[in-house]
Amino acid sequence: GVGTMMPGETPPPPAGTAAAGGACANCGVLQQNINEYVAALIALKQKMIDGDRLLTEYQQKCTDILYFSIEISALRCQVEKMLQKILPLEKCQEELGSLKAELEEKKVCL
């Protein structure tokens, strides 16, 4: 009839038995493991954030270095061009100097 146990069924253990206590102990261990896992994940996330920040700073430094090296190359080119302009001027100055000397001699002669 109604309320009778079927063969093979075991009645559920009443609350507060050793089985329930064991389950609670397992729950505690599981909870502790989850807490440690979450803490490890948070630490890892922070490391990733720090790593990203360092990488960004490094890339910025590389960009700066590249920019400066381009600037230095441009300045070097300007210096070379100036030197090329100065050399003929120095020659002209020498020629003017010798012409001046010749004129002075001629003046003396006159």
Side-chain angles (χ1 to χ4, degrees):
V2 183
T4 57
M5 297 297 299
M6 294 291 287
E9 270 192 18
T10 53
T17 59
C24 280
N26 286 344
C27 282
V29 170
L30 186 65
Q31 188 62 53
Q32 194 182 337
N33 288 347
I34 288 169
N35 290 346
E36 286 171 12
Y37 180 67
V38 168
L41 274 178
I42 290 167
L44 186 64
K45 193 178 179 187
Q46 190 55 52
K47 275 184 185 165
M48 284 167 73
I49 290 166
D50 292 345
D52 279 350
R53 188 173 46 78
L54 285 172
L55 194 64
T56 305
E57 286 174 13
Y58 175 73
Q59 283 171 338
Q60 185 59 51
K61 283 195 177 104
C62 287
T63 306
D64 290 348
I65 288 167
L66 193 66
Y67 176 75
F68 288 136
S69 64
I70 290 166
E71 290 252 301
I72 288 164
S73 295
L75 287 171
R76 215 173 262 154
C77 280
Q78 284 182 340
V79 169
E80 288 289 322
K81 282 178 187 169
M82 280 177 157
L83 284 174
Q84 284 170 4
K85 284 178 184 172
I86 288 168
L87 287 173
L89 286 173
E90 281 178 351
K91 276 184 190 160
C92 285
Q93 222 170 4
E94 281 173 27
E95 286 171 21
L96 280 172
S98 55
L99 279 173
K100 217 179 188 184
E102 278 179 40
L103 284 170
E104 291 293 325
E105 282 173 29
K106 282 182 181 166
K107 242 190 220 170
V108 170
C109 290
L110 289 168

